[in-house]
Amino acid sequence: MNGAALVAIAAAIGNFLQGWDNATIAGAVVYIKEDLSLSTTAEGLVVAISLIGATVITTCSGPISDWLGRRPMLIVSSVLYFVSGLIMLWSPNVYVLCLARLLDGFGIGLAVTLVPVYISETAPSEIRGLLNTLPQFTGSGGMFLSYCMVFGMSLTTSPSWRLMLGVLSIPSLLYFALAVFFLPESPRWLVSKGRMVEAKQVLQRLRGREDVSGEMALLVEGLGIGGETSIEEYIIGPEGLSWVAKPVTGQSSLALVSRQGSLANQSVPLMDPLVTLFGSVHEKLPDTGSTRSMLFPTFGSMFSTAEPRVKNEQWDEESLQREGEDYPSDGGGADSDDNLHSPLISRQTTSLEKDMPPHSHGSILSMGRHSSLTQGGGEAVGSTGIGGGWQLAWKWSEREEGEFIQAAALVSQPALYSKELIDQHPVGPAMVHPAETATKAPIWSALSDPGVKRALVVGMGIQLLQQFSGINGVLYYTPQILEEAGVEVLLANLGLSTNSASFLISAFTTLLMLPCIGIAMKLMDISGRRQLLLTTIPVLIVSLIILVISETVGFSSVVKAGVSTACVIIYFCVFVSAYGPIPNILCSEIFPTRVRGLCIAICALVYWISDIIVTYTLPVLLSSIGLAGIFGIYATVCVISFVFIFLKVPETKGMPLEVITEFFAVGARQADAAKNE
């Protein structure tokens, strides 16, 4: 997975530049105010105009990225960073400086919105959380290095704020070079535009292997939005050297959770059935996707009823029925789409399933629930791993008699139709070659799909609550809190000016964040997003409550100094390890490929608007209810966040993006149907 990791690191430089800029302007504004004789209003505008620019660009960045691609928008972001840095280096007056800061905000908005999307679409499922925490790590790393630079410049006789801000152009050149010459286009975006050959080549590079047919087929399945999908139960048993999935009567436990979507099935009455459904998946997800010495993973495998296909077959996954009728490729040659396996449990391949209804022709996913045999004598051959324990197209060198595996399958229409289905007028965007379904603009009507609406509620809710949980307030008042704690005075006694002491403290605080984010990167795909949030948010609540107590109770100066400093550091470190990166990670995972950019833009707009509200209501709240009242509000919002996450936010670790969106679609439709009954 080195290819995917290197691509993620390169893309995360956009967030490094964001962190660098945020820290630099926080230090440079002290000198800008003196040099340009700025009023308080003008000073606030210089700092905040980049925030305004980020908000404005966010409204269109998602739809444009769905149209033009992720990579071109990252290139534009790097150019905006570079140009804004040069203009800030030259800025003769406050008006030119504000223009440069506006362009800088455009670059920030594009990077913050699209880098998580890009990483999610290129990363393998089993390390997607780790790689998508990189933007948080690089952003904090950029802040640390920038504070170090500003601290060093503050020790000179005449610090230059123009040089502080203009240095941004140097790392942005590296970002531009990597975006142009190294970063590939997202394979999921390429598939959505029918550019199958390019998508296959990118996947081969990212995964470091030639056979990416399983993941390619899964990406094709992910083109659909909505449609008829259900969870059904199968028995997987041996037939020759292949394993055949046969439908059984009754419903699986997963199907019951989804279809009933009822409160009676849940231990917590108000919990969203989606949370229960995802939880039932992850309870049985294996820790490893190894295909050796195990007949099947206990959970999380994809099966094919046909024998694994040989190479040099054309793009049609169901060519057994097509008999040579092929799709045109996009100019890559006759063998450009060879060996592309379908992730379907194809109902046309067995004589037992001729009477099945026409709307249920295949499955995007099947999940082994229980097996009476966990160790097999044969060696797995012809299997295609697609990450997180998900496997495709099993074949065995020895036949195991009398053994079977129960599986619950997410059954939907196949990506590519066979001749038998043509007369049945199948529906869905994936029923023909993706090139014929490519769109030039976002599918706005898809926002009304139950699964997309459910995902938007989760995405917008967690972004809004994250911003109102107090991170900006604590950041904004960190110098004041630490000054009251006596830390700056201590450093000033060491011979540092007040400004230099403040910069050094900020650098130290951001340095402490880095190992915490590193731990989060390790845990993101082990403990999972949901568990990390539910574990860390109580720590945020306690630290904020203690800050309120320290502001209201008459502690001694020494005790107050120690308590306040410890709470601020704990709050920062715990926040960046979970509640900081996870909302962006979740938003990049839960939306369908065709409208992912559009939905991300909506969630990002909620993020930026909430950021502006929190930032500009702080002075009013401070004068009316004081610092203790503000921290009390933040603690209350954190409690609301905990409840919202517990009831509404499912666990998405280790699952392919297409499977996540299908679960949202199935669960949301069934829950809505249960409410209407």
Side-chain angles (χ1 to χ4, degrees):
M1 301 305 177
N2 290 338
L6 292 175
V7 164
I9 292 171
I13 294 178
N15 295 78
F16 172 89
L17 297 176
Q18 178 214 8
W20 178 283
D21 177 76
N22 288 346
T24 304
I25 192 62
V29 71
V30 176
Y31 306 105
I32 295 172
K33 183 178 180 180
E34 295 176 359
D35 187 32
L36 300 181
S37 302
L38 299 182
S39 64
T40 303
T41 303
E43 177 189 358
L45 183 61
V46 168
V47 176
I49 196 167
S50 64
L51 190 62
I52 297 171
T55 306
V56 171
I57 200 68
T58 294
T59 60
C60 59
S61 61
I64 293 177
S65 73
D66 282 336
W67 174 37
L68 295 178
R70 320 306 190 204
R71 178 172 170 269
M73 303 306 290
L74 296 181
I75 294 174
V76 170
S77 173
S78 67
V79 172
L80 289 169
Y81 275 128
F82 177 73
V83 172
S84 65
L86 291 181
I87 297 176
M88 286 188 286
L89 180 64
W90 167 66
S91 298
N93 54 55
V94 68
Y95 304 105
V96 175
L97 179 60
C98 285
L99 173 63
R101 297 288 302 157
L102 182 66
L103 294 176
D104 182 52
F106 290 160
I108 289 173
L110 290 176
V112 171
T113 304
L114 297 178
V115 167
V117 178
Y118 180 81
I119 293 177
S120 286
E121 292 186 343
T122 55
S125 301
E126 66 270 22
I127 59 170
R128 189 176 60 239
L130 183 153
L131 296 184
N132 233 336
T133 312
L134 275 173
Q136 183 78 39
F137 185 87
T138 57
S140 296
M143 292 178 65
F144 169 69
L145 294 178
S146 179
Y147 274 127
C148 290
M149 177 198 71
V150 173
F151 169 72
M153 289 186 175
S154 71
L155 299 178
T156 63
T157 54
S158 56
S160 171
W161 61 266
R162 289 182 177 86
L163 184 58
M164 290 180 186
L165 296 176
V167 171
L168 177 70
S169 293
I170 298 176
S172 65
L173 270 179
L174 173 63
Y175 185 37
F176 174 79
L178 289 173
V180 172
F181 300 109
F182 180 72
L183 293 184
E185 182 53 85
S186 159
R188 284 177 167 85
W189 183 86
L190 290 170
V191 167
S192 73
K193 300 303 178 184
R195 295 159 64 175
M196 305 300 296
V197 174
E198 294 177 63
K200 180 181 177 181
Q201 292 170 347
V202 169
L203 274 180
Q204 289 171 333
R205 170 186 165 187
L206 293 174
R207 304 296 180 256
R209 62 172 185 265
E210 287 296 317
D211 184 8
V212 292
S213 54
E215 193 166 358
M216 281 289 292
L218 192 64
L219 266 54
V220 174
E221 289 283 339
L223 294 181
I225 298 175
E228 295 293 335
T229 307
S230 61
I231 297 179
E232 301 178 12
E233 190 169 277
Y234 286 82
I235 292 293
I236 312 295
E239 186 170 304
L241 293 179
S242 297
W243 286 74
V244 177
K246 301 178 182 180
V248 296
T249 57
Q251 295 175 320
S252 68
S253 59
L254 288 174
L256 286 172
V257 171
S258 174
R259 286 173 180 166
Q260 294 183 6
S262 65
L263 303 181
N265 254 357
Q266 303 175 51
S267 57
V268 181
L270 295 178
M271 182 178 286
D272 193 318
L274 276 171
V275 177
T276 306
L277 176 60
F278 276 82
S280 65
V281 172
H282 287 285
E283 285 175 3
K284 302 173 182 66
L285 194 64
D287 294 329
T288 176
S290 174
T291 62
R292 301 284 178 177
S293 77
M294 291 186 67
L295 182 62
F296 283 103
T298 306
F299 186 87
S301 295
M302 302 183 65
F303 307 98
S304 172
T305 57
E307 289 191 17
R309 313 293 292 280
V310 297
K311 294 192 175 184
N312 298 321
E313 292 182 15
Q314 294 300 314
W315 141 249
D316 178 10
E317 278 109 303
E318 297 187 24
S319 57
L320 288 178
Q321 284 78 35
R322 295 294 301 266
E323 297 177 355
E325 182 180 339
D326 297 325
Y327 286 108
S329 69
D330 48 359
D335 61 345
S336 58
D337 291 314
D338 63 313
N339 198 31
L340 185 61
H341 301 307
S342 171
L344 310 178
I345 294 181
S346 174
R347 289 186 164 174
Q348 293 79 29
T349 57
T350 64
S351 60
L352 299 176
E353 304 176 31
K354 294 298 184 181
D355 298 328
M356 287 294 175
H359 70 273
S360 300
H361 297 305
S363 76
I364 195 173
L365 164 71
S366 65
M367 302 154 288
R369 295 175 51 241
H370 172 74
S371 175
S372 60
L373 179 67
T374 58
Q375 300 291 328
E379 178 179 341
V381 296
S383 61
T384 302
I386 60 172
W390 306 97
Q391 299 293 327
L392 172 69
W394 287 78
K395 180 178 178 179
W396 286 86
S397 57
E398 294 183 17
R399 177 173 175 172
E400 298 293 334
E401 298 289 349
E403 303 297 347
F404 67 93
I405 291 176
Q406 287 182 292
L410 189 62
V411 179
S412 63
Q413 294 197 17
L416 300 169
Y417 57 81
S418 62
K419 288 181 178 180
E420 288 79 1
L421 295 178
I422 295 178
D423 297 333
Q424 299 179 14
H425 305 290
V427 295
M431 296 301 290
V432 294
H433 193 282
E436 300 179 30
T437 64
T439 56
K440 301 297 183 181
I443 308 174
W444 293 91
S445 60
L447 299 183
S448 61
D449 179 77
V452 176
K453 286 194 294 185
R454 208 61 159 254
L456 278 173
V457 168
V458 172
M460 292 190 296
I462 198 169
Q463 291 284 19
L464 184 146
L465 290 170
Q466 181 213 48
Q467 285 304 299
F468 281 93
S469 65
I471 182 61
N472 289 313
V474 177
L475 279 172
Y476 190 83
Y477 286 103
T478 295
Q480 178 179 331
I481 295 169
L482 297 180
E483 184 177 0
E484 292 180 3
V487 178
E488 286 192 354
V489 175
L490 175 63
L491 293 177
N493 292 335
L494 296 177
L496 299 176
S497 67
T498 302
N499 289 336
S500 297
S502 176
F503 300 148
L504 184 58
I505 292 169
S506 299
F508 177 71
T509 304
T510 54
L511 177 62
L512 289 177
M513 294 180 185
L514 296 179
C516 297
I517 302 173
I519 294 173
M521 293 172 67
K522 177 66 175 177
L523 296 177
M524 199 66 69
D525 294 303
I526 299 175
S527 298
R529 294 74 154 133
R530 174 182 165 86
Q531 189 60 44
L532 274 179
L533 288 172
L534 294 179
T535 303
T536 57
I537 288 179
V539 181
L540 301 180
I541 296 170
V542 171
S543 63
L544 289 169
I545 290 175
I546 294 176
L547 277 174
V548 171
I549 295 174
S550 69
E551 291 291 327
T552 55
V553 178
F555 289 129
S556 65
S557 58
V558 176
V559 173
K560 184 177 180 180
V563 169
S564 298
T565 303
C567 285
V568 169
I569 293 175
I570 290 172
Y571 181 91
F572 279 148
C573 293
V574 173
F575 188 93
V576 298
S577 67
Y579 213 5
I582 288 178
N584 281 339
I585 294 175
L586 283 172
C587 288
S588 65
E589 293 176 330
I590 60 180
F591 301 113
T593 299
R594 299 280 286 275
V595 291
R596 184 170 290 123
L598 172 61
C599 294
I600 286 289
I602 294 172
C603 294
L605 189 59
V606 171
Y607 167 89
W608 289 114
I609 292 175
S610 302
D611 190 359
I612 293 173
I613 293 173
V614 170
T615 302
Y616 285 95
T617 56
L618 278 175
V620 178
L621 291 174
L622 186 63
S623 61
S624 58
I625 61 176
L627 204 56
I630 292 175
F631 289 150
I633 292 175
Y634 293 159
T636 303
V637 174
C638 284
V639 172
I640 297 172
S641 298
F642 182 88
V643 174
F644 177 81
I645 291 164
F646 181 76
L647 297 178
K648 295 292 184 183
V649 178
E651 180 55 70
T652 59
K653 68 172 182 178
M655 302 177 73
L657 298 183
E658 291 71 22
V659 174
I660 295 171
T661 57
E662 280 291 339
F663 271 133
F664 264 93
V666 173
R669 281 197 302 271
Q670 299 296 345
D672 289 347
K675 290 179 181 179
N676 295 330
E677 290 177 357

